[in-house]
Amino acid sequence: MKSFEIINGVLEQRISAVSVVEDAFAKISEKEELNGFITVLEERALAKAKDVDERISKGQKVGKLAGLPIAVKDNIAIADQRMTCASASLKDYVSPFDAHVIESLENEDAIIVGKTNLDEFAMGATGEYSHFGVAKNPLDSSYVAGGSSSGSAVSVAGDMVSVALGSETGGSIRLPASYCGLVGLKPTYGSVSRYGLTAFSSSLDQIGVLSKSVQENQLIFDVIKGQDKNDMTSKAYKNEASNKGIDELVIGLPKEYFDVLDKDLSVGILEFIEKMKDRGFKFKTVSIPSSKFAVPTYYVLTTAELSSNLSRFDGVRYSSRVDVDAGVMEMIMASRSEGFGQEVKRRIMLGTYVLSAGYYDAYYGKALQAKSNFEREFSEIFANECDILLAPVANSLPPKIGERCEDPVAMYNTDVFTCSANIAGIPALSIPIGRVSDELPFSQSIQLMGNKFSEELLFSVGKEIEKLNY
């Protein structure tokens, strides 16, 4: 069932919140081989569901998400529950507090059913870099689900829940959404509190939503958005979207994206653009010169920031400790060596290098300058050229499991179309537009990008795009 059907059924007492939650757990158990979840919160969820049912039966007020099961990526804190970040270093860590988004959802009586699998510390594009094993694509389990929000995508695409929270640093919501045929929102930086989200790259990280429809995505975003006193980068949400009608909008097509897109994949997008033209949408080719520097800028920024953020996981203050018959430094080295996986170690080394004496200005300093250029270019485009941008999400179909593990450069280039939005801090919405071919079960997706705080415009256009798919 869709989110609105569940909520209305619970409110009207046609179904109980308990039965909805029990059904979710039955599906999670039935599809356990997909490895979408790290921790299932059955006792906690059923207690919440019983409370919702009881209040409804007594005519008491309940929230706008009453009885709705939601899955949450396991780098987001839930009080008194494990938060592993899919890492051996945190496999036994229990969070002492709730993330702000968890408080917001539960205040509206949503029911958190479990913590989902991910690439370790959200570092990866395929979902294969997890201490707990790879999350498999529900459309074909021999393929990856995309990363790093792999388990959240699996939980929705596998019909275990209708919506899930993920996090994005360079495409980690939109990419798995594309691979699994879902809608994925990366909000404006600062529009959703990061309090309780384990830091990867603090200047880019953002919590977002995966769902089966644009309307469901909007429902959850409206609950989690807004300022939080615990996150100084969060802002009071003010809709900055254009008030133009659909037929008045100009949609920009960034030529740098389409120039490098595989021709076999571009066909479907170009055909869909023609359908949008028939609907009345206007298009214009635009240029984003900085986009050719997106991947190197992204990986310099993120590796530098993660090497700093992960320095706290040393076996002394945080993370699992490996006891050795030597000094403190030997213990720290042993704990980090055993606690971190291959990809996390690789990125820590890269980040430490770009921050090191003699290289800081040459790499990290220039990446910060490039970030400013991205923000300026996108701002000017939305001010002078078009209202929103339309672009591809993925530069290939989902790879088979194991196909890219030995080629990190190919994996890093997976972010080529997605990481610009994170660098610029703008919102982006991934939407499936139909099957790639009759032989493969996968959908092709496009993404809409808008100026900061223009999520409402992206949702409006996204709903029109969905209509063209039916």
Side-chain angles (χ1 to χ4, degrees), residues 417-436:
F417 298 138
T418 53
C419 62
S420 292
N422 301 79
I423 298 169
I426 61 174
L429 184 69
S430 171
I431 308 166
I433 58 170
R435 289 275 289 271
V436 176

Side-chain angles (χ1 to χ4, degrees), residues 217-413:
N217 210 294
Q218 184 175 14
L219 172 70
I220 303 304
F221 175 68
D222 285 344
V223 170
I224 64 175
K225 71 184 182 185
Q227 194 165 23
D228 170 27
K229 61 181 176 60
N230 291 312
D231 177 6
M232 298 303 291
T233 64
S234 67
K235 301 174 179 67
Y237 192 86
K238 181 182 178 182
N239 180 19
E240 299 289 352
S242 166
N243 57 6
K244 294 179 181 178
I246 293 295
D247 296 337
E248 301 174 280
L249 294 174
V250 176
I251 300 177
L253 301 175
K255 69 184 186 65
E256 289 84 0
Y257 288 57
F258 287 92
D259 285 348
V260 299
L261 179 64
D262 183 276
K263 290 184 179 179
D264 291 337
L265 293 178
S266 67
V267 171
I269 295 178
L270 294 175
E271 288 177 352
F272 194 81
I273 288 172
E274 291 303 314
K275 290 175 68 174
M276 292 181 69
K277 288 179 180 178
D278 292 340
R279 163 63 181 82
F281 286 102
K282 300 179 181 67
F283 289 88
K284 177 182 182 180
T285 300
V286 299
S287 177
I288 310 174
S290 290
S291 62
K292 62 184 176 182
F293 303 115
V295 172
T297 299
Y298 171 76
Y299 278 98
V300 171
L301 289 173
T302 57
T303 56
E305 293 181 13
L306 74 88
S307 72
S308 176
N309 281 326
L310 266 60
S311 63
R312 74 194 74 178
F313 300 106
D314 55 10
V316 179
R317 296 162 293 176
Y318 299 97
S319 76
S320 301
R321 177 182 299 182
V322 176
D323 292 319
V324 295
D325 295 328
V328 173
M329 290 305 298
E330 286 74 14
M331 181 275 293
I332 291 174
M333 287 190 288
S335 297
R336 289 171 68 82
S337 294
E338 291 193 21
F340 292 146
Q342 176 188 3
E343 182 58 25
V344 173
K345 291 176 185 175
R346 180 186 292 122
R347 298 195 192 197
I348 289 174
M349 292 295 291
L350 286 169
T352 303
Y353 177 79
V354 301
L355 289 177
S356 61
Y359 296 100
Y360 180 96
D361 291 333
Y363 293 102
Y364 188 62
K366 280 189 168 57
L368 290 175
Q369 292 174 356
K371 187 177 189 299
S372 296
N373 286 337
F374 272 89
E375 293 175 353
R376 175 182 53 78
E377 281 189 9
F378 276 95
S379 179
E380 290 176 353
I381 283 171
F382 294 126
N384 304 315
E385 300 279 344
C386 60
D387 299 290
I388 59 175
L389 293 166
L390 184 151
V393 177
N395 62 356
S396 70
L397 294 176
K400 288 201 167 186
I401 292 171
E403 197 171 287
R404 288 192 185 160
C405 288
E406 301 305 317
D407 190 353
V409 173
M411 183 186 68
Y412 295 166
N413 281 326

Side-chain angles (χ1 to χ4, degrees), residues 144-252:
V144 303
S148 65
S149 302
S150 51
S152 292
V154 168
S155 70
V156 179
D159 295 320
M160 303 169 217
V161 293
S162 54
V163 290
L165 291 189
S167 69
E168 257 223 26
T169 309
S172 291
I173 289 173
R174 284 167 289 157
L175 188 63
S178 176
Y179 283 178
C180 295
L182 303 174
V183 176
L185 172 70
K186 178 265 161 192
T188 302
Y189 182 79
S191 63
V192 177
S193 171
R194 292 183 295 112
Y195 180 69
L197 172 67
T198 305
F200 168 9
S201 180
S202 304
S203 69
L204 305 181
D205 294 340
Q206 189 62 82
I207 294 172
V209 187
L210 295 104
S211 63
K212 286 201 169 180
S213 71
V214 174
Q215 189 176 19
E216 290 171 293
N217 210 294
Q218 184 175 14
L219 172 70
I220 303 304
F221 175 68
D222 285 344
V223 170
I224 64 175
K225 71 184 182 185
Q227 194 165 23
D228 170 27
K229 61 181 176 60
N230 291 312
D231 177 6
M232 298 303 291
T233 64
S234 67
K235 301 174 179 67
Y237 192 86
K238 181 182 178 182
N239 180 19
E240 299 289 352
S242 166
N243 57 6
K244 294 179 181 178
I246 293 295
D247 296 337
E248 301 174 280
L249 294 174
V250 176
I251 300 177

Side-chain angles (χ1 to χ4, degrees), residues 24-145:
F25 287 125
K27 289 175 180 175
I28 291 170
S29 177
E30 177 187 331
K31 299 183 180 182
E32 187 177 1
E33 75 281 355
L34 296 177
N35 203 27
F37 284 82
I38 291 175
T39 303
V40 177
L41 306 176
E42 191 164 0
E43 183 178 339
R44 185 182 189 277
L46 285 170
K48 176 74 173 178
K50 289 174 183 176
D51 174 65
V52 170
D53 285 335
E54 185 175 333
R55 281 188 285 138
I56 291 174
S57 68
K58 292 179 178 178
Q60 298 175 354
K61 183 179 179 180
V62 292
K64 64 174 71 173
L65 302 179
L68 180 66
I70 293 181
V72 175
K73 189 175 181 177
D74 198 26
N75 60 347
I76 298 173
I78 298 179
D80 303 319
Q81 304 299 327
R82 271 203 318 169
M83 182 175 66
T84 70
C85 296
S87 176
S89 65
L90 290 177
K91 63 182 184 298
D92 299 317
Y93 175 73
V94 175
S95 172
F97 67 97
D98 280 327
H100 183 265
V101 290
I102 300 300
E103 290 181 349
S104 299
L105 291 171
E106 294 194 323
N107 284 342
E108 295 294 345
D109 289 317
I111 300 172
I112 311 300
V113 297
K115 307 291 292 296
T116 58
N117 205 353
L118 65 149
D119 288 295
E120 185 182 5
F121 284 106
M123 298 178 201
T126 61
E128 295 173 281
Y129 294 108
S130 169
H131 174 68
F132 300 94
V134 60
K136 301 173 184 177
N137 196 315
L139 303 178
D140 185 329
S141 60
S142 65
Y143 289 80
V144 303

